[in-house]
Amino acid sequence: MKVALIGCSGMGNVHAQMATNCGLKVSVFADKNIKIAKAIAKQYKGEAITDGMAACERTDIDIVAIATPTPTHLMFVKAAANAGKHIFCEKPFCRTASECKEAIAAAKKAKVKLFVGHVVRYFQEFEAMKTQIAAGKIGEPGFAKLYRGGLLPMGSESWFRDFEKSGGVTFDCMIHDLDWLRYVFGEPERIFCQALMYTKRVPFDYSQVTLRMKSGLIATVIGTWAHPHGFQVKAEICGSGGMIQFNSNEAPMAAMKREVKTGPDWALPSSPVDISPYQLEWEDFIGWIRDTRTPRVTAHDALRAVQMVEAALQSAKTGRPVAL
Amino acid sequence: MANIGIMSFAHMHAYSYAACLKQLPGCELTAVWDDNIKRGRTAAKQFETKFVANLDAFLDSSLDGVIITSENMKHRPMAERCAAAGKWILCEKPIAPSVADAQAMVQACKKAKVGLGTALPCRFSPPLMEACTQIQTGEFGEIVAASCTNHGQSPGGWFADDALSGGGATMDHTVHVADLLRWILKKEFVSVYCELGNQLHNKEFKTDDVGSLQLEMEGGVQVSHVASWSRAKSFPTWGDVTIEFIGTKGVLWVDAFNQKINVYNDAAMKAEWAYWGGNPDLGLVADFVRAVEERREPTVTGLDGLRATEVTAAAYQAAKTKKRVPIKRTR
């Protein structure tokens, strides 16, 4: 199977590598910035183009991988579905829940597989937590605290820093944790959120959520794009018989360069594993296309995650809890 | 020489305060009174002081100041007795579960012209004092958000009995952080939203054991806080006080009690953290002793205690109504 990648910076780079690792040939690289497309196309011996819509319609392509800014996802999903391609779409699924529904309908109509990359479901540390909880190691879980973020990301043309496009840290980053909470603990009941959302005086974002699940579990979720540098994930699950903690700063390695071009460097702890979680999600997607497995995450799950962040941002605007 | 008495050893902090009094120069643990006579006698013996069973005799004695470490619901009647007897008071936190009780205590002490302090020792924690200093220099710009935790192991007993505690983990573990933020940011709280749970101890408690709070301070500062009795019995320490401050010019993270060494002891069959940092209780008690001698208000006042109680009372109201509740400042 051959893959066309749309959006070649940031996550696009990762997906090109992961698809290749899975034995797929990435043959078309589309990016508005032809320089970026050409650079990666050269690396993978593929073709560089600027028009993502044209990539969707190529007859020599089986899979379209979308790693563009969120507001463009629906357009590419629809074009790829109409052309009969299977679709790998980076999270967040779409910029609104109604767009997500439109995307699901398009894929259903075209009978193509639409996968959304909620990669945290594939992270080994998160899977380990889920396994321990399922094994009853902490009794009945009653509280969860998840924390994720660090440096405000740039993205091509700084689209992450445009709230209208990215939805800020709540929409783009915290969505991982809200999805994981629903994955492990079931449906949410109501959500309350405070977020900075790039107010005039702060050109960054910090989001704080209180979430009640239908099971009664309470969660506090923090997302930050307010830090001067770094990236950190912390998780804590408390139950009637114990608790679980994870902190990404406690990692097997940390590297620090003496000099870097862009200014001060910092040690970003890293945790090498046998198979990257990004590859695991591609393996799941490919297995689903080949009808050999059911994927861990569905487009419906991705829609629910978008509904949760939409509710969070509605709460942040109104100062009221929002029922889900 | 300041003569200090302790009323009730119901709260385990009494043992720490008593040890501080024994350690500090210029003061004496002169007498102990307790409505649980056996507990009081044992404590008096432990700290080599006298037990006075009769409350009038206790308050008639040569005491200059009294530390009240009873169950939360008994703070008010005990403080009123002390104030009427002209004693300086250091009252365990929360100063009282209800705003009305806290107000009455502040007023009684004002009327009696005695000092009233609230035992919020975190203001004497070296890492938190350093955080306060650094933030107040303005080097982190304007603080626009903060996320906090105050976790603990379950204290059980009367703490989990609403009739004596007036509330659970959220009552017990919100006031430290509320006071710290008021102190460091010099701003008051304006609203709170809260989800409460009683689900970490098989619903054995008559109170909540976890609360997730979303608070707003003056000027739109966004604050989240988790108050809990969530630390497992096998957890290596009692709990924590943490705050992440988000400023326009930087971020400051403080984990106030994260000064520890890891200890692996086969006899305990669990990992333990041996704390080597400063003792905030000592600073708190020393300040109270000085306040008694100088006939001034303790550094953390009764009014500070009242402000913290206004936050917790509104949080319980918010949890009940499932709405964001304004925090009203009373006098």
Side-chain angles (χ1 to χ4, degrees), chain A residues 142 201 208 210 212 236, chain B residues 142 195-196 199 212 224 231:
Chain A
R201 58 191 177 141
Q208 311 187 77
T210 288
R212 172 76 80 164
E236 178 173 298
Chain B
E142 182 193 346
E195 293 279 353
L196 290 182
Q199 52 211 37
S212 173
S224 75
R231 302 298 93 161

Side-chain angles (χ1 to χ4, degrees), chain A:
Chain A
M1 288 192 287
K2 285 184 177 173
V3 179
L5 173 67
I6 310 173
C8 298
S9 58
M11 289 312 299
N13 260 307
V14 175
H15 292 310
Q17 184 64 56
M18 297 306 147
T20 306
N21 290 357
C22 291
L24 304 179
K25 168 73 184 169
V26 187
S27 55
V28 176
F29 295 84
D31 199 295
K32 265 169 43 182
N33 184 334
I34 192 68
K35 274 187 187 168
I36 292 172
K38 275 184 174 165
I40 191 168
K42 192 179 169 193
Q43 191 188 337
Y44 289 94
K45 298 186 172 63
E47 186 185 337
I49 62 172
T50 55
D51 186 359
M53 294 299 273
C56 294
E57 284 154 19
R58 294 273 295 238
T59 52
D60 55 346
I61 291 296
D62 308 289
I63 294 169
V64 172
I66 302 164
T68 52
T70 313
T72 64
H73 286 184
L74 175 62
M75 171 178 81
F76 291 126
V77 168
K78 276 164 70 176
N82 289 343
K85 318 295 185 196
H86 297 301
I87 302 154
F88 182 104
C89 181
E90 182 53 46
K91 54 57 48 188
F93 188 1
C94 293
R95 187 61 182 84
T96 66
S98 63
E99 283 184 4
C100 296
K101 286 177 186 166
E102 223 180 298
I104 290 171
K108 195 177 171 190
K109 194 178 161 204
K111 295 192 174 66
V112 297
K113 304 275 165 61
L114 168 59
F115 183 91
V116 183
H118 274 283
V119 73
V120 168
R121 294 194 183 203
Y122 297 86
F123 267 74
Q124 283 85 352
E125 59 270 39
F126 277 82
E127 203 53 15
M129 289 195 285
K130 185 170 177 284
T131 304
Q132 293 289 318
I133 294 163
K137 290 291 177 71
I138 62 163
E140 191 63 38
F143 175 74
K145 180 162 183 197
L146 299 178
Y147 177 105
R148 179 181 303 275
L151 177 70
L152 172 57
M154 285 293 292
S156 63
E157 295 155 27
S158 302
W159 74 275
F160 288 115
R161 299 178 184 209
D162 180 338
F163 186 82
E164 285 309 309
K165 283 181 183 162
S166 72
V169 73
T170 315
F171 207 100
D172 195 79
C173 180
M174 188 192 280
I175 196 168
H176 281 300
D177 299 301
L178 297 179
D179 172 64
W180 192 80
L181 287 168
R182 184 180 158 273
Y183 173 50
V184 178
F185 301 114
E187 289 296 332
E189 173 99 32
R190 63 181 166 270
I191 194 163
F192 189 98
C193 176
Q194 300 190 88
L196 297 176
M197 300 194 287
Y198 308 86
T199 42
K200 262 183 217 157
R201 58 191 177 141
V202 280
F204 51 79
D205 202 4
Y206 193 77
S207 181
Q208 311 187 77
V209 155
T210 288
L211 178 66
R212 172 76 80 164
M213 309 302 276
K214 283 194 170 27
S215 72
L217 179 130
I218 295 167
T220 299
V221 192
I222 311 287
T224 174
W225 278 352
H227 282 58
H229 53 68
F231 182 79
Q232 191 181 11
V233 176
K234 291 186 279 188
E236 178 173 298
I237 321 292
C238 303
S240 57
M243 58 185 282
I244 293 170
Q245 284 186 322
F246 170 77
N247 184 343
S248 64
N249 278 359
E250 292 159 18
M253 62 176 285
M256 204 184 298
K257 286 172 189 157
R258 194 164 302 285
E259 276 179 45
V260 288
K261 283 178 198 161
T262 49
D265 195 20
W266 64 89
L268 196 57
S270 64
S271 204
V273 286
D274 290 336
I275 303 174
S276 158
Y278 295 95
Q279 183 172 328
L280 292 176
E281 62 176 351
W282 270 93
E283 286 175 3
D284 222 15
F285 173 49
I286 293 163
W288 186 33
I289 293 172
R290 291 178 176 147
D291 285 323
T292 56
R293 57 164 116 174
T294 308
R296 201 175 285 183
V297 56
T298 66
H300 175 74
D301 293 328
L303 158 67
R304 291 293 290 145
V306 167
Q307 286 172 333
M308 287 172 84
V309 287
E310 277 192 334
L313 290 173
Q314 191 193 332
S315 168
K317 269 187 193 157
T318 60
R320 294 193 184 99
V322 173
L324 284 148

